[in-house]
Amino acid sequence: MRILGIETSCDETAVAVLEDGHIVRADLIASQVDLHQKYGGVVPEIASRRHIETIGPLVLSALAVADCAAESLDAVAVTTQPGLIGALLVGACFARSFAYALQIPVIPIHHIEGHIAAVFLEHPAIVFPAIALVASGGHTDLYRLDPTGEYHILGRTTDDAAGEAFDKGARLLGLGYPGGPAIDRAAAAGDPKRIRFPRPRTAKEDDFSFSGLKSALARRLALAEEKDALADLAASYQAAIVDVLVEKTVRAAVRERARAILLVGGVAANRLLRRRIGEEGARLGLATYIPAPRYCTDNAVMIAMAASLRQTRGTPLPDTRVSI
Ligand code: KG4
Ligand code: ZN
């Protein structure tokens, strides 16, 4: 079974060829970071236009890298939601036409389902029930994954996503875009206890809230009597985000009697978060699964993997059937 995966929901054009749910024959990502950097964030119109230029050649390159003919593909999996609508449309329209020409099915994939699927690539034998924390630039969601193959949303952010908190914090600190990796790096040399940023509370215990944290950083930068070291600011800010993510995920895992914790999405590439979740899991006797950093941030292998899992685990997210 060979699946072509296509992901164009934000600022990365990504194409992959996945065989039998575990052999990555091609995994290409054309990043647009340079294009959006000077604006300090993704400009939707510019993203769509670049996807249009990139998608065709990238699919041909992926087939060349995979060393397989288009006719040998069995299906095309494409992200159809959520994301920037113009950007999604480029991938979805391409996927539809390409699949039509080959007379093979198109499998519409929910981006979050893709992020969760990334774990199964390296860990096919996950024990259930499991708690999945999906932390990315647009989402911070907690799911319970049941042995039956169903996913239940337990909570989500009520304002900014965790990745957004990293990106906005980095912008305030003058560290540029994307902010997560920049704060991760800057924090390595800092003292995470130097500044006590708030750990925001929410009405529902499984929800998240990060917008107050960004405001606290802005206030600190404006009002601090003596200038804080950049590394200490980055480390303390990162610690506040990671503390909340770890605490809520672990609490949900214990309450739901989960046997495993999954950590996915771009923020799962964060080194402190990876270490802390691993430590907490070990303390509680829970297995922890985190994709390799390359499969945490947006990619197309995870989209093809989600399609592949549909064959074995059914359709996990009820709202994935919306197609463009
Ligand atoms: O999953 P993703 O690539 O795209 C979305 O679906 O949003 O996630 C991107 C987010 C960005 O906010 C980025 O700053 C964050 O993931 N990120 C990180 C790290 N690498 C990427 N955040 C913290 N530490 C990192 N090392
Ligand atoms: Zn993503």
Side-chain angles (χ1 to χ4, degrees):
M1 178 87 179
R2 258 184 210 165
I3 302 178
L4 180 76
I6 296 180
E7 155 64 45
T8 63
S9 67
C10 192
D11 61 342
E12 249 117 35
T13 320
V15 178
V17 178
L18 181 70
E19 196 167 286
D20 298 334
H22 67 284
I23 304 163
V24 179
R25 294 189 66 119
D27 172 19
L28 302 185
I29 300 176
S31 171
Q32 300 183 4
V33 164
D34 298 349
L35 204 60
H36 300 282
Q37 216 148 28
K38 64 171 178 267
Y39 305 103
V42 179
V43 183
E45 176 69 16
I46 295 177
S48 311
R49 285 169 189 266
R50 179 53 68 89
H51 284 310
I52 291 174
E53 290 164 7
T54 312
I55 186 75
L58 202 64
V59 166
L60 294 181
S61 303
L63 290 173
V65 170
D67 193 21
C68 66
E71 291 71 26
S72 72
L73 295 169
D74 295 293
V76 181
V78 61
T79 310
T80 51
Q81 62 159 331
L84 304 171
I85 187 67
L88 285 167
L89 273 168
V90 176
C93 291
F94 187 94
R96 282 223 177 286
S97 328
F98 199 68
Y100 180 75
L102 294 167
Q103 287 296 297
I104 55 176
V106 179
I107 308 173
I109 298 293
H110 191 288
H111 186 76
I112 299 303
E113 186 185 343
H115 273 304
I116 294 176
V119 164
F120 292 80
L121 188 66
E122 291 157 303
H123 307 284
I126 286 172
V127 284
F128 297 98
I131 294 294
L133 171 67
V134 185
S136 71
H139 290 80
T140 306
D141 300 340
L142 268 180
Y143 285 94
R144 191 187 68 233
L145 279 53
D146 287 345
T148 52
E150 280 166 32
Y151 292 10
H152 295 278
I153 181 104
L154 300 173
R156 50 167 52 117
T157 183
T158 54
D159 42 55
D160 290 350
E164 211 175 337
F166 272 106
D167 293 336
K168 289 179 174 170
R171 197 198 283 212
L172 287 169
L173 292 171
L175 287 171
Y177 162 87
I183 290 190
D184 193 336
R185 277 192 301 274
D191 175 4
K193 297 207 169 76
R194 181 82 183 75
I195 305 142
R196 178 76 194 170
F197 286 115
R199 271 62 172 163
R201 304 209 163 272
T202 47
K204 265 184 64 203
E205 75 171 349
D206 289 339
D207 281 347
F208 298 88
S209 166
F210 290 106
S211 65
L213 185 59
K214 163 198 70 195
S215 312
L217 175 61
R219 269 198 309 278
R220 177 81 190 190
L221 291 172
L223 300 177
E225 280 163 20
E226 48 188 286
K227 214 165 171 301
D228 299 303
L230 180 62
D232 291 342
L233 281 163
S236 302
Y237 187 75
Q238 172 177 265
I241 300 174
V242 169
D243 269 359
V244 171
L245 293 175
V246 171
E247 186 195 312
K248 295 208 172 210
T249 306
V250 168
R251 194 195 298 149
V254 171
R255 189 194 62 227
E256 302 287 328
R257 299 180 198 281
R259 297 175 64 199
I261 292 177
L262 278 56
L263 175 63
V264 303
V267 178
N270 184 269
R271 288 174 294 175
L272 177 66
L273 180 58
R274 297 172 78 89
R275 197 177 70 227
R276 289 278 312 282
I277 282 279
E279 286 167 0
E280 286 297 301
R283 192 173 64 77
L284 294 163
L286 295 170
T288 47
Y289 302 103
I290 315 173
R294 177 173 180 86
Y295 297 126
C296 290
T297 45
D298 288 351
N299 64 87
V301 176
M302 69 186 199
I303 302 305
M305 187 65 205
S308 175
L309 282 179
R310 293 263 183 96
Q311 327 280 319
T312 48
R313 277 178 52 79
T315 303
L317 290 173
D319 54 350
T320 49
R321 290 186 173 274
V322 178
S323 55
I324 293 178

